[in-house]
Amino acid sequence: MLVGIGYDVHRLVKGRRLVLGGVEIDSPLGLDGHSDADVVIHAVCDAVLGAAALGDIGEHFPDSDPKWKNVSSKVLLEHVVSLAGEKGLKANNLDVVIIAQVPKLGRKKLEMRDVMARLLGISPDRVNVKATTTEGLDDIGEGKGIAAQAVVSLSGV
Ligand code: MG
């Protein structure tokens, strides 16, 4: 059993869609970034890469490469899962924490769970998505950005 951790944070700005865990969320602000800036999937990608000892998301998808501009992060996770598969590794489970003061995510967490389970090729009951605020503290508490943490375990197929 191999375990990997991932962390990411993106800034909230006007004029961008908000996509979290592969799900579009209704919000006046979206996350800024080179791809669709899906902070949740980016953390999951890094967790998978970490468990597989394959480096980090910035090495695989540099923001200097126009190929990844505005790309859906679901494509990035599919690629990372295939890289782990080439090493004979498959996900067992995923646990995610989304740290956001706004917006409230509610049932969208279940949609994210289903999307990410499909991308990892595992049952939704092996995926958990949690959300928390920072109680108004720090930049995230002021609504300036959203962060995510992820832990993935992989094992040999
Ligand atoms: Mg990122």
Coordinates of all heavy atoms in Angstrom, one line a residue, residues 7-10 35 37-39 42-43 57, ligand 1:
Y7 N -1.6 19.1 -2.1 CA -2.1 20.3 -1.5 C -2.1 21.4 -2.7 O -1.1 21.4 -3.5 CB -1.3 20.8 -0.4 CG -1.6 22.2 0.1 CD1 -2.7 22.5 0.9 CD2 -0.8 23.3 -0.3 CE1 -3.1 23.7 1.3 CE2 -1.2 24.6 0.1 CZ -2.3 24.8 0.9 OH -2.6 26.1 1.3
D8 N -3.1 22.2 -2.8 CA -3.1 23.3 -3.8 C -3.9 24.4 -3.3 O -4.8 24.3 -2.4 CB -3.6 22.8 -5.1 CG -3.2 23.7 -6.3 OD1 -2.3 24.5 -6.1 OD2 -3.9 23.6 -7.3
V9 N -3.6 25.6 -3.8 CA -4.4 26.8 -3.5 C -4.5 27.7 -4.8 O -3.5 27.8 -5.5 CB -3.9 27.6 -2.3 CG1 -2.5 27.9 -2.4 CG2 -4.7 28.8 -1.9
H10 N -5.6 28.2 -5.1 CA -5.8 29.2 -6.2 C -6.6 30.4 -5.7 O -7.4 30.3 -4.8 CB -6.5 28.5 -7.4 CG -5.7 27.6 -8.2 ND1 -5.1 28.0 -9.4 CD2 -5.2 26.4 -8.0 CE1 -4.4 27.0 -9.9 NE2 -4.5 26.0 -9.1
S35 N -4.9 26.2 -16.2 CA -5.9 25.3 -16.7 C -7.2 25.8 -16.2 O -7.4 27.0 -16.1 CB -5.6 23.9 -16.1 OG -5.7 24.0 -14.6
A37 N -8.1 25.6 -13.4 CA -7.8 25.9 -12.0 C -8.6 25.2 -10.9 O -8.9 25.7 -9.9 CB -7.9 27.5 -11.8
D38 N -8.9 23.9 -11.3 CA -9.7 23.1 -10.4 C -8.7 22.6 -9.2 O -8.0 21.7 -9.3 CB -10.2 21.9 -11.1 CG -11.2 21.0 -10.2 OD1 -11.0 21.0 -9.0 OD2 -12.0 20.3 -10.8
V39 N -8.8 23.4 -8.2 CA -7.8 23.3 -7.0 C -8.0 21.9 -6.4 O -7.0 21.3 -5.9 CB -8.1 24.4 -6.0 CG1 -9.4 24.3 -5.3 CG2 -6.9 24.5 -5.0
H42 N -6.4 19.3 -8.7 CA -4.9 19.5 -8.7 C -4.3 18.8 -7.5 O -3.3 18.2 -7.5 CB -4.5 21.0 -8.7 CG -4.8 21.6 -10.0 ND1 -4.5 22.9 -10.3 CD2 -5.5 21.1 -11.2 CE1 -4.9 23.2 -11.5 NE2 -5.5 22.2 -12.1
A43 N -5.0 19.0 -6.3 CA -4.5 18.3 -5.1 C -4.5 16.8 -5.2 O -3.6 16.1 -4.8 CB -5.3 18.8 -3.9
I57 N 2.7 17.9 -10.0 CA 1.8 18.3 -11.2 C 2.5 19.4 -12.0 O 2.3 19.4 -13.2 CB 0.4 18.8 -10.6 CG1 -0.6 19.0 -11.7 CG2 0.6 20.0 -9.8 CD1 -2.0 19.2 -11.2
Ligands
MG1 MG -3.1 24.2 -9.1

